[in-house]
Amino acid sequence: MAELEGIDVTAPPSGTGCAECLAVDGWWVHLRRCAQCGHIGCCDTSPAQHATAHHQATGHPLIRSFEPGEDWFYSFETGEAYDGPALAPPEHRPVTQPVPGPEGRVPADWQSHVH
């Protein structure tokens, strides 16, 4: 997998949460990391689905989970999950960050907003 186009093991994550959600006081369920540029976006279960939007805007083909204990990659092009190389640290969100998150922004009825 490391030799596939779309993975840059040196690109650091863009932050510890979904870049777009943080910019607009939004929230997410789980986080995904672009394997090419490090952009952190929210998963497709999240209301805004920013990881997929990032792929659609950039064409970057692979994401990796940004959740503790998860190291799988997903290809938007094939719809399949893969194993892959370690990426530049940190490899996941802070373990103190709640799911869903971020703390203080998740509505009490959050389950009615997920996909």
Short mmCIF file of all heavy atoms in Angstrom, two decimals, residues 28-96:
data_model
loop_
_atom_site.label_atom_id
_atom_site.label_comp_id
_atom_site.label_asym_id
_atom_site.label_seq_id
_atom_site.Cartn_x
_atom_site.Cartn_y
_atom_site.Cartn_z
N TRP A 28 -18.69 16.33 15.17
CA TRP A 28 -18.50 15.14 14.37
C TRP A 28 -18.71 13.89 15.21
O TRP A 28 -18.73 13.94 16.43
CB TRP A 28 -17.09 15.11 13.78
CG TRP A 28 -16.03 15.23 14.82
CD1 TRP A 28 -15.53 14.23 15.64
CD2 TRP A 28 -15.34 16.42 15.22
NE1 TRP A 28 -14.58 14.73 16.49
CE2 TRP A 28 -14.44 16.08 16.25
CE3 TRP A 28 -15.37 17.75 14.79
CZ2 TRP A 28 -13.60 17.00 16.85
CZ3 TRP A 28 -14.53 18.66 15.39
CH2 TRP A 28 -13.67 18.28 16.41
N VAL A 29 -18.85 12.76 14.50
CA VAL A 29 -18.94 11.46 15.16
C VAL A 29 -17.54 10.85 15.24
O VAL A 29 -17.02 10.60 16.32
CB VAL A 29 -19.93 10.51 14.45
CG1 VAL A 29 -19.96 9.15 15.15
CG2 VAL A 29 -21.32 11.12 14.44
N HIS A 30 -16.93 10.60 14.08
CA HIS A 30 -15.56 10.07 14.03
C HIS A 30 -14.74 10.91 13.06
O HIS A 30 -15.29 11.62 12.21
CB HIS A 30 -15.55 8.61 13.56
CG HIS A 30 -16.17 7.69 14.54
ND1 HIS A 30 -17.34 7.00 14.28
CD2 HIS A 30 -15.81 7.33 15.80
CE1 HIS A 30 -17.66 6.27 15.33
NE2 HIS A 30 -16.76 6.46 16.27
N LEU A 31 -13.42 10.79 13.18
CA LEU A 31 -12.52 11.58 12.36
C LEU A 31 -11.77 10.71 11.36
O LEU A 31 -11.41 9.56 11.65
CB LEU A 31 -11.53 12.33 13.25
CG LEU A 31 -12.16 13.34 14.20
CD1 LEU A 31 -11.12 13.87 15.18
CD2 LEU A 31 -12.81 14.48 13.43
N ARG A 32 -11.49 11.29 10.18
CA ARG A 32 -10.74 10.64 9.12
C ARG A 32 -9.63 11.57 8.68
O ARG A 32 -9.79 12.80 8.67
CB ARG A 32 -11.65 10.31 7.93
CG ARG A 32 -12.88 9.49 8.32
CD ARG A 32 -12.51 8.12 8.85
NE ARG A 32 -13.70 7.34 9.22
CZ ARG A 32 -13.89 6.83 10.42
NH1 ARG A 32 -13.01 7.03 11.39
NH2 ARG A 32 -14.97 6.13 10.68
N ARG A 33 -8.51 10.97 8.27
CA ARG A 33 -7.32 11.72 7.88
C ARG A 33 -6.99 11.44 6.42
O ARG A 33 -6.89 10.28 6.02
CB ARG A 33 -6.16 11.29 8.77
CG ARG A 33 -4.82 11.89 8.40
CD ARG A 33 -3.77 11.34 9.34
NE ARG A 33 -2.46 11.85 9.04
CZ ARG A 33 -1.40 11.68 9.83
NH1 ARG A 33 -1.52 11.02 10.96
NH2 ARG A 33 -0.24 12.17 9.48
N CYS A 34 -6.83 12.48 5.63
CA CYS A 34 -6.41 12.31 4.24
C CYS A 34 -4.99 11.76 4.24
O CYS A 34 -4.08 12.34 4.87
CB CYS A 34 -6.47 13.63 3.50
SG CYS A 34 -5.88 13.53 1.79
N ALA A 35 -4.79 10.64 3.58
CA ALA A 35 -3.47 10.00 3.56
C ALA A 35 -2.48 10.76 2.68
O ALA A 35 -1.28 10.53 2.77
CB ALA A 35 -3.59 8.56 3.07
N GLN A 36 -2.97 11.67 1.87
CA GLN A 36 -2.09 12.42 0.98
C GLN A 36 -1.62 13.74 1.58
O GLN A 36 -0.44 14.06 1.53
CB GLN A 36 -2.79 12.68 -0.36
CG GLN A 36 -1.88 13.30 -1.40
CD GLN A 36 -2.45 13.19 -2.79
OE1 GLN A 36 -3.26 12.31 -3.08
NE2 GLN A 36 -2.02 14.07 -3.67
N CYS A 37 -2.55 14.50 2.18
CA CYS A 37 -2.16 15.83 2.67
C CYS A 37 -2.32 16.01 4.17
O CYS A 37 -1.90 17.03 4.71
CB CYS A 37 -2.94 16.91 1.93
SG CYS A 37 -4.69 17.01 2.37
N GLY A 38 -2.96 15.06 4.87
CA GLY A 38 -3.12 15.15 6.32
C GLY A 38 -4.38 15.87 6.77
O GLY A 38 -4.61 15.99 7.98
N HIS A 39 -5.21 16.34 5.85
CA HIS A 39 -6.45 17.03 6.22
C HIS A 39 -7.30 16.13 7.12
O HIS A 39 -7.54 14.98 6.81
CB HIS A 39 -7.24 17.40 4.96
CG HIS A 39 -8.56 18.01 5.26
ND1 HIS A 39 -9.70 17.26 5.44
CD2 HIS A 39 -8.93 19.30 5.42
CE1 HIS A 39 -10.71 18.07 5.69
NE2 HIS A 39 -10.28 19.30 5.69
N ILE A 40 -7.76 16.67 8.23
CA ILE A 40 -8.65 15.95 9.13
C ILE A 40 -10.08 16.40 8.83
O ILE A 40 -10.40 17.60 8.89
CB ILE A 40 -8.33 16.20 10.61
CG1 ILE A 40 -6.88 15.81 10.93
CG2 ILE A 40 -9.31 15.45 11.52
CD1 ILE A 40 -6.54 14.35 10.70
N GLY A 41 -10.93 15.42 8.52
CA GLY A 41 -12.33 15.68 8.24
C GLY A 41 -13.20 14.70 9.01
O GLY A 41 -12.72 13.69 9.53
N CYS A 42 -14.48 14.99 9.07
CA CYS A 42 -15.41 14.12 9.79
C CYS A 42 -15.92 13.01 8.88
O CYS A 42 -15.98 13.16 7.65
CB CYS A 42 -16.55 14.92 10.40
SG CYS A 42 -17.45 15.98 9.25
N CYS A 43 -16.32 11.91 9.48
CA CYS A 43 -16.76 10.71 8.76
C CYS A 43 -18.13 10.90 8.11
O CYS A 43 -18.82 11.89 8.36
CB CYS A 43 -16.79 9.52 9.70
SG CYS A 43 -18.11 9.59 10.94
N ASP A 44 -18.52 9.93 7.31
CA ASP A 44 -19.81 10.00 6.63
C ASP A 44 -21.00 9.78 7.55
O ASP A 44 -22.14 10.05 7.16
CB ASP A 44 -19.86 9.00 5.47
CG ASP A 44 -19.11 9.50 4.25
OD1 ASP A 44 -18.65 10.66 4.26
OD2 ASP A 44 -18.99 8.74 3.28
N THR A 45 -20.79 9.33 8.78
CA THR A 45 -21.86 9.26 9.76
C THR A 45 -22.14 10.64 10.34
O THR A 45 -23.25 10.94 10.75
CB THR A 45 -21.50 8.27 10.89
OG1 THR A 45 -21.23 7.00 10.30
CG2 THR A 45 -22.62 8.12 11.90
N SER A 46 -21.13 11.49 10.34
CA SER A 46 -21.25 12.85 10.86
C SER A 46 -22.18 13.69 10.00
O SER A 46 -22.31 13.44 8.79
CB SER A 46 -19.87 13.51 10.91
OG SER A 46 -18.99 12.77 11.71
N PRO A 47 -22.81 14.71 10.58
CA PRO A 47 -23.76 15.52 9.81
C PRO A 47 -23.16 16.16 8.55
O PRO A 47 -23.81 16.20 7.52
CB PRO A 47 -24.20 16.60 10.81
CG PRO A 47 -24.04 15.95 12.14
CD PRO A 47 -22.81 15.08 12.01
N ALA A 48 -21.92 16.63 8.60
CA ALA A 48 -21.37 17.40 7.48
C ALA A 48 -20.51 16.57 6.52
O ALA A 48 -20.24 17.04 5.42
CB ALA A 48 -20.57 18.58 8.01
N GLN A 49 -20.03 15.42 6.89
CA GLN A 49 -19.29 14.52 6.00
C GLN A 49 -18.12 15.22 5.30
O GLN A 49 -17.94 15.11 4.08
CB GLN A 49 -20.24 13.88 5.00
CG GLN A 49 -21.38 13.15 5.67
CD GLN A 49 -22.40 12.60 4.70
OE1 GLN A 49 -22.55 13.06 3.58
NE2 GLN A 49 -23.12 11.58 5.14
N HIS A 50 -17.29 15.91 6.07
CA HIS A 50 -16.21 16.70 5.48
C HIS A 50 -15.06 15.88 4.89
O HIS A 50 -14.39 16.37 3.98
CB HIS A 50 -15.67 17.70 6.51
CG HIS A 50 -16.61 18.83 6.76
ND1 HIS A 50 -17.10 19.11 8.00
CD2 HIS A 50 -17.16 19.73 5.90
CE1 HIS A 50 -17.92 20.16 7.92
NE2 HIS A 50 -17.97 20.55 6.66
N ALA A 51 -14.82 14.66 5.36
CA ALA A 51 -13.75 13.86 4.75
C ALA A 51 -14.09 13.53 3.30
O ALA A 51 -13.24 13.65 2.41
CB ALA A 51 -13.50 12.59 5.56
N THR A 52 -15.32 13.14 3.04
CA THR A 52 -15.75 12.86 1.68
C THR A 52 -15.75 14.14 0.84
O THR A 52 -15.33 14.13 -0.33
CB THR A 52 -17.13 12.19 1.66
OG1 THR A 52 -17.01 10.91 2.28
CG2 THR A 52 -17.66 12.02 0.25
N ALA A 53 -16.18 15.24 1.41
CA ALA A 53 -16.16 16.52 0.70
C ALA A 53 -14.73 16.90 0.31
O ALA A 53 -14.49 17.41 -0.79
CB ALA A 53 -16.80 17.62 1.55
N HIS A 54 -13.77 16.62 1.19
CA HIS A 54 -12.36 16.90 0.89
C HIS A 54 -11.91 16.06 -0.30
O HIS A 54 -11.26 16.57 -1.22
CB HIS A 54 -11.49 16.62 2.12
CG HIS A 54 -10.03 16.75 1.86
ND1 HIS A 54 -9.40 17.97 1.74
CD2 HIS A 54 -9.06 15.80 1.68
CE1 HIS A 54 -8.11 17.78 1.50
NE2 HIS A 54 -7.88 16.47 1.46
N HIS A 55 -12.26 14.79 -0.30
CA HIS A 55 -11.92 13.92 -1.44
C HIS A 55 -12.54 14.47 -2.73
O HIS A 55 -11.86 14.54 -3.76
CB HIS A 55 -12.40 12.49 -1.19
CG HIS A 55 -12.55 11.70 -2.44
ND1 HIS A 55 -11.47 11.30 -3.21
CD2 HIS A 55 -13.65 11.27 -3.09
CE1 HIS A 55 -11.91 10.64 -4.26
NE2 HIS A 55 -13.23 10.61 -4.22
N GLN A 56 -13.79 14.86 -2.69
CA GLN A 56 -14.47 15.35 -3.88
C GLN A 56 -13.84 16.65 -4.39
O GLN A 56 -13.76 16.87 -5.60
CB GLN A 56 -15.96 15.54 -3.60
CG GLN A 56 -16.67 14.22 -3.39
CD GLN A 56 -18.07 14.36 -2.84
OE1 GLN A 56 -18.44 15.38 -2.25
NE2 GLN A 56 -18.87 13.32 -3.01
N ALA A 57 -13.36 17.49 -3.49
CA ALA A 57 -12.76 18.76 -3.88
C ALA A 57 -11.33 18.61 -4.38
O ALA A 57 -10.89 19.37 -5.25
CB ALA A 57 -12.79 19.73 -2.70
N THR A 58 -10.60 17.62 -3.85
CA THR A 58 -9.17 17.51 -4.16
C THR A 58 -8.82 16.32 -5.03
O THR A 58 -7.76 16.31 -5.66
CB THR A 58 -8.35 17.37 -2.86
OG1 THR A 58 -8.71 16.14 -2.22
CG2 THR A 58 -8.56 18.56 -1.93
N GLY A 59 -9.64 15.30 -5.02
CA GLY A 59 -9.31 14.06 -5.71
C GLY A 59 -8.36 13.17 -4.93
O GLY A 59 -7.95 12.12 -5.43
N HIS A 60 -8.00 13.56 -3.72
CA HIS A 60 -7.13 12.72 -2.91
C HIS A 60 -7.87 11.41 -2.63
O HIS A 60 -8.97 11.43 -2.08
CB HIS A 60 -6.74 13.42 -1.61
CG HIS A 60 -5.89 14.64 -1.84
ND1 HIS A 60 -5.61 15.53 -0.83
CD2 HIS A 60 -5.28 15.12 -2.95
CE1 HIS A 60 -4.85 16.51 -1.32
NE2 HIS A 60 -4.64 16.28 -2.60
N PRO A 61 -7.27 10.27 -2.98
CA PRO A 61 -8.04 9.02 -3.04
C PRO A 61 -8.18 8.23 -1.75
O PRO A 61 -9.05 7.37 -1.66
CB PRO A 61 -7.25 8.20 -4.06
CG PRO A 61 -5.83 8.66 -3.90
CD PRO A 61 -5.95 10.13 -3.59
N LEU A 62 -7.34 8.47 -0.76
CA LEU A 62 -7.31 7.60 0.42
C LEU A 62 -7.47 8.37 1.72
O LEU A 62 -6.90 9.46 1.88
CB LEU A 62 -6.00 6.82 0.48
CG LEU A 62 -5.69 5.92 -0.72
CD1 LEU A 62 -4.23 5.52 -0.72
CD2 LEU A 62 -6.57 4.70 -0.68
N ILE A 63 -8.20 7.78 2.65
CA ILE A 63 -8.26 8.30 4.00
C ILE A 63 -7.82 7.20 4.96
O ILE A 63 -7.82 6.02 4.62
CB ILE A 63 -9.67 8.79 4.41
CG1 ILE A 63 -10.72 7.69 4.22
CG2 ILE A 63 -10.02 10.06 3.69
CD1 ILE A 63 -12.09 8.03 4.79
N ARG A 64 -7.45 7.62 6.14
CA ARG A 64 -7.14 6.68 7.21
C ARG A 64 -7.95 7.11 8.42
O ARG A 64 -8.20 8.30 8.64
CB ARG A 64 -5.66 6.73 7.56
CG ARG A 64 -5.33 5.73 8.65
CD ARG A 64 -3.87 5.69 8.96
NE ARG A 64 -3.70 4.92 10.19
CZ ARG A 64 -2.59 4.86 10.85
NH1 ARG A 64 -1.53 5.50 10.44
NH2 ARG A 64 -2.52 4.16 11.95
N SER A 65 -8.38 6.14 9.20
CA SER A 65 -9.08 6.49 10.43
C SER A 65 -8.16 7.34 11.30
O SER A 65 -6.94 7.12 11.34
CB SER A 65 -9.48 5.22 11.19
OG SER A 65 -10.07 5.58 12.43
N PHE A 66 -8.72 8.32 11.98
CA PHE A 66 -7.97 9.16 12.92
C PHE A 66 -8.49 8.90 14.33
O PHE A 66 -8.47 9.76 15.20
CB PHE A 66 -8.09 10.64 12.53
CG PHE A 66 -7.04 11.53 13.11
CD1 PHE A 66 -5.69 11.30 12.91
CD2 PHE A 66 -7.40 12.65 13.86
CE1 PHE A 66 -4.72 12.14 13.45
CE2 PHE A 66 -6.45 13.50 14.41
CZ PHE A 66 -5.10 13.24 14.20
N GLU A 67 -8.98 7.67 14.54
CA GLU A 67 -9.50 7.26 15.84
C GLU A 67 -8.48 6.36 16.54
O GLU A 67 -7.80 5.56 15.89
CB GLU A 67 -10.81 6.50 15.66
CG GLU A 67 -11.94 7.35 15.13
CD GLU A 67 -12.33 8.48 16.08
OE1 GLU A 67 -12.38 8.25 17.31
OE2 GLU A 67 -12.57 9.60 15.59
N PRO A 68 -8.35 6.48 17.87
CA PRO A 68 -7.42 5.62 18.61
C PRO A 68 -7.73 4.15 18.37
O PRO A 68 -8.89 3.74 18.35
CB PRO A 68 -7.66 6.00 20.07
CG PRO A 68 -8.24 7.37 20.03
CD PRO A 68 -9.05 7.42 18.76
N GLY A 69 -6.68 3.36 18.17
CA GLY A 69 -6.83 1.92 17.99
C GLY A 69 -7.24 1.48 16.60
O GLY A 69 -7.41 0.30 16.34
N GLU A 70 -7.41 2.44 15.68
CA GLU A 70 -7.79 2.11 14.30
C GLU A 70 -6.69 2.58 13.35
O GLU A 70 -6.28 3.74 13.42
CB GLU A 70 -9.12 2.78 13.92
CG GLU A 70 -10.28 2.33 14.77
CD GLU A 70 -11.59 2.99 14.38
OE1 GLU A 70 -11.62 3.82 13.46
OE2 GLU A 70 -12.59 2.67 15.04
N ASP A 71 -6.25 1.68 12.48
CA ASP A 71 -5.21 2.06 11.53
C ASP A 71 -5.54 1.69 10.09
O ASP A 71 -4.66 1.60 9.24
CB ASP A 71 -3.85 1.47 11.95
CG ASP A 71 -3.86 -0.04 12.01
OD1 ASP A 71 -4.89 -0.67 11.70
OD2 ASP A 71 -2.82 -0.61 12.38
N TRP A 72 -6.82 1.51 9.79
CA TRP A 72 -7.23 1.12 8.44
C TRP A 72 -7.27 2.33 7.51
O TRP A 72 -7.47 3.47 7.92
CB TRP A 72 -8.59 0.43 8.47
CG TRP A 72 -9.67 1.18 9.20
CD1 TRP A 72 -10.07 0.99 10.50
CD2 TRP A 72 -10.47 2.26 8.70
NE1 TRP A 72 -11.07 1.87 10.82
CE2 TRP A 72 -11.35 2.66 9.73
CE3 TRP A 72 -10.55 2.91 7.48
CZ2 TRP A 72 -12.27 3.69 9.58
CZ3 TRP A 72 -11.47 3.94 7.32
CH2 TRP A 72 -12.32 4.32 8.38
N PHE A 73 -7.05 2.02 6.25
CA PHE A 73 -7.17 2.99 5.16
C PHE A 73 -8.42 2.65 4.36
O PHE A 73 -8.81 1.49 4.29
CB PHE A 73 -5.96 2.92 4.23
CG PHE A 73 -4.70 3.50 4.80
CD1 PHE A 73 -3.97 2.80 5.74
CD2 PHE A 73 -4.23 4.73 4.37
CE1 PHE A 73 -2.79 3.31 6.27
CE2 PHE A 73 -3.05 5.25 4.88
CZ PHE A 73 -2.33 4.55 5.83
N TYR A 74 -9.00 3.64 3.70
CA TYR A 74 -10.16 3.43 2.85
C TYR A 74 -9.92 4.16 1.53
O TYR A 74 -9.47 5.32 1.53
CB TYR A 74 -11.43 3.98 3.51
CG TYR A 74 -12.64 3.94 2.62
CD1 TYR A 74 -13.36 2.77 2.44
CD2 TYR A 74 -13.05 5.08 1.93
CE1 TYR A 74 -14.48 2.72 1.61
CE2 TYR A 74 -14.17 5.05 1.10
CZ TYR A 74 -14.87 3.87 0.94
OH TYR A 74 -15.96 3.83 0.11
N SER A 75 -10.20 3.49 0.44
CA SER A 75 -10.06 4.08 -0.88
C SER A 75 -11.42 4.55 -1.38
O SER A 75 -12.35 3.74 -1.51
CB SER A 75 -9.48 3.05 -1.86
OG SER A 75 -9.58 3.54 -3.19
N PHE A 76 -11.53 5.83 -1.69
CA PHE A 76 -12.76 6.35 -2.28
C PHE A 76 -12.94 5.79 -3.68
O PHE A 76 -14.06 5.67 -4.16
CB PHE A 76 -12.73 7.88 -2.35
CG PHE A 76 -12.89 8.55 -1.01
CD1 PHE A 76 -11.81 9.09 -0.35
CD2 PHE A 76 -14.14 8.63 -0.41
CE1 PHE A 76 -11.96 9.72 0.87
CE2 PHE A 76 -14.30 9.25 0.82
CZ PHE A 76 -13.21 9.79 1.46
N GLU A 77 -11.84 5.45 -4.35
CA GLU A 77 -11.91 4.95 -5.73
C GLU A 77 -12.42 3.52 -5.82
O GLU A 77 -13.16 3.18 -6.73
CB GLU A 77 -10.55 5.11 -6.40
CG GLU A 77 -10.15 6.57 -6.55
CD GLU A 77 -8.75 6.77 -7.07
OE1 GLU A 77 -7.95 5.81 -7.09
OE2 GLU A 77 -8.44 7.91 -7.46
N THR A 78 -12.01 2.66 -4.87
CA THR A 78 -12.41 1.25 -4.94
C THR A 78 -13.52 0.90 -3.95
O THR A 78 -14.15 -0.14 -4.08
CB THR A 78 -11.22 0.32 -4.66
OG1 THR A 78 -10.82 0.47 -3.29
CG2 THR A 78 -10.06 0.60 -5.60
N GLY A 79 -13.71 1.75 -2.92
CA GLY A 79 -14.70 1.46 -1.90
C GLY A 79 -14.24 0.36 -0.95
O GLY A 79 -15.07 -0.22 -0.24
N GLU A 80 -12.95 0.09 -0.91
CA GLU A 80 -12.41 -0.98 -0.07
C GLU A 80 -11.49 -0.43 1.02
O GLU A 80 -10.90 0.63 0.86
CB GLU A 80 -11.64 -1.99 -0.93
CG GLU A 80 -12.53 -2.69 -1.93
CD GLU A 80 -11.75 -3.66 -2.81
OE1 GLU A 80 -10.63 -3.32 -3.26
OE2 GLU A 80 -12.28 -4.75 -3.05
N ALA A 81 -11.38 -1.21 2.09
CA ALA A 81 -10.47 -0.88 3.18
C ALA A 81 -9.15 -1.62 2.95
O ALA A 81 -9.13 -2.71 2.37
CB ALA A 81 -11.07 -1.28 4.51
N TYR A 82 -8.07 -1.02 3.43
CA TYR A 82 -6.73 -1.58 3.26
C TYR A 82 -5.91 -1.39 4.52
O TYR A 82 -6.18 -0.49 5.32
CB TYR A 82 -5.99 -0.86 2.12
CG TYR A 82 -6.63 -0.98 0.78
CD1 TYR A 82 -7.50 0.01 0.31
CD2 TYR A 82 -6.37 -2.07 -0.05
CE1 TYR A 82 -8.09 -0.09 -0.94
CE2 TYR A 82 -6.96 -2.17 -1.30
CZ TYR A 82 -7.82 -1.17 -1.74
OH TYR A 82 -8.40 -1.27 -2.97
N ASP A 83 -4.86 -2.20 4.65
CA ASP A 83 -3.80 -1.94 5.60
C ASP A 83 -2.82 -1.00 4.92
O ASP A 83 -2.74 -0.96 3.68
CB ASP A 83 -3.09 -3.23 6.00
CG ASP A 83 -3.96 -4.15 6.83
OD1 ASP A 83 -4.79 -3.63 7.60
OD2 ASP A 83 -3.81 -5.37 6.70
N GLY A 84 -2.07 -0.26 5.69
CA GLY A 84 -1.11 0.65 5.08
C GLY A 84 -0.02 1.04 6.05
O GLY A 84 0.03 0.54 7.19
N PRO A 85 0.83 1.95 5.64
CA PRO A 85 1.98 2.35 6.46
C PRO A 85 1.58 3.28 7.61
O PRO A 85 0.51 3.89 7.59
CB PRO A 85 2.86 3.08 5.47
CG PRO A 85 1.89 3.71 4.52
CD PRO A 85 0.80 2.66 4.36
N ALA A 86 2.47 3.39 8.57
CA ALA A 86 2.31 4.39 9.63
C ALA A 86 2.45 5.77 8.99
O ALA A 86 3.24 5.96 8.07
CB ALA A 86 3.35 4.19 10.71
N LEU A 87 1.65 6.71 9.46
CA LEU A 87 1.73 8.08 8.98
C LEU A 87 2.41 8.96 10.03
O LEU A 87 2.56 8.56 11.18
CB LEU A 87 0.31 8.61 8.68
CG LEU A 87 -0.48 7.84 7.63
CD1 LEU A 87 -1.87 8.44 7.47
CD2 LEU A 87 0.25 7.81 6.30
N ALA A 88 2.78 10.16 9.62
CA ALA A 88 3.42 11.10 10.54
C ALA A 88 2.54 11.29 11.78
O ALA A 88 1.32 11.36 11.67
CB ALA A 88 3.66 12.43 9.86
N PRO A 89 3.15 11.37 12.95
CA PRO A 89 2.37 11.53 14.18
C PRO A 89 1.74 12.92 14.27
O PRO A 89 2.21 13.84 13.63
CB PRO A 89 3.41 11.32 15.29
CG PRO A 89 4.72 11.55 14.66
CD PRO A 89 4.57 11.27 13.18
N PRO A 90 0.68 13.00 15.08
CA PRO A 90 0.03 11.91 15.79
C PRO A 90 -0.84 11.09 14.84
O PRO A 90 -1.35 11.60 13.85
CB PRO A 90 -0.81 12.61 16.85
CG PRO A 90 -1.13 13.95 16.26
CD PRO A 90 0.06 14.31 15.41
N GLU A 91 -1.02 9.82 15.17
CA GLU A 91 -1.77 8.92 14.30
C GLU A 91 -3.25 8.85 14.64
O GLU A 91 -4.00 8.16 13.96
CB GLU A 91 -1.14 7.52 14.33
CG GLU A 91 0.23 7.52 13.67
CD GLU A 91 0.69 6.15 13.26
OE1 GLU A 91 -0.13 5.41 12.70
OE2 GLU A 91 1.85 5.83 13.52
N HIS A 92 -3.68 9.55 15.68
CA HIS A 92 -5.10 9.57 16.05
C HIS A 92 -5.40 10.83 16.85
O HIS A 92 -4.49 11.52 17.31
CB HIS A 92 -5.49 8.32 16.83
CG HIS A 92 -4.66 8.09 18.07
ND1 HIS A 92 -4.84 8.80 19.22
CD2 HIS A 92 -3.64 7.25 18.30
CE1 HIS A 92 -3.98 8.40 20.14
NE2 HIS A 92 -3.23 7.45 19.59
N ARG A 93 -6.69 11.09 17.00
CA ARG A 93 -7.13 12.24 17.80
C ARG A 93 -6.69 12.02 19.25
O ARG A 93 -6.37 10.90 19.65
CB ARG A 93 -8.65 12.37 17.73
CG ARG A 93 -9.35 11.18 18.35
CD ARG A 93 -10.85 11.39 18.50
NE ARG A 93 -11.49 10.17 18.91
CZ ARG A 93 -11.47 9.66 20.14
NH1 ARG A 93 -10.82 10.26 21.10
NH2 ARG A 93 -12.09 8.53 20.41
N PRO A 94 -6.69 13.07 20.07
CA PRO A 94 -6.37 12.89 21.49
C PRO A 94 -7.35 11.91 22.14
O PRO A 94 -8.56 11.99 21.90
CB PRO A 94 -6.52 14.29 22.08
CG PRO A 94 -6.37 15.23 20.91
CD PRO A 94 -6.93 14.49 19.73
N VAL A 95 -6.84 11.01 22.95
CA VAL A 95 -7.71 10.02 23.60
C VAL A 95 -8.66 10.68 24.60
O VAL A 95 -9.69 10.10 24.95
CB VAL A 95 -6.91 8.89 24.27
CG1 VAL A 95 -6.18 8.06 23.22
CG2 VAL A 95 -5.95 9.42 25.30
N THR A 96 -8.36 11.88 25.03
CA THR A 96 -9.22 12.61 25.96
C THR A 96 -10.39 13.29 25.26
O THR A 96 -11.31 13.76 25.93
CB THR A 96 -8.42 13.66 26.73
OG1 THR A 96 -7.80 14.54 25.79
CG2 THR A 96 -7.36 13.01 27.62
#
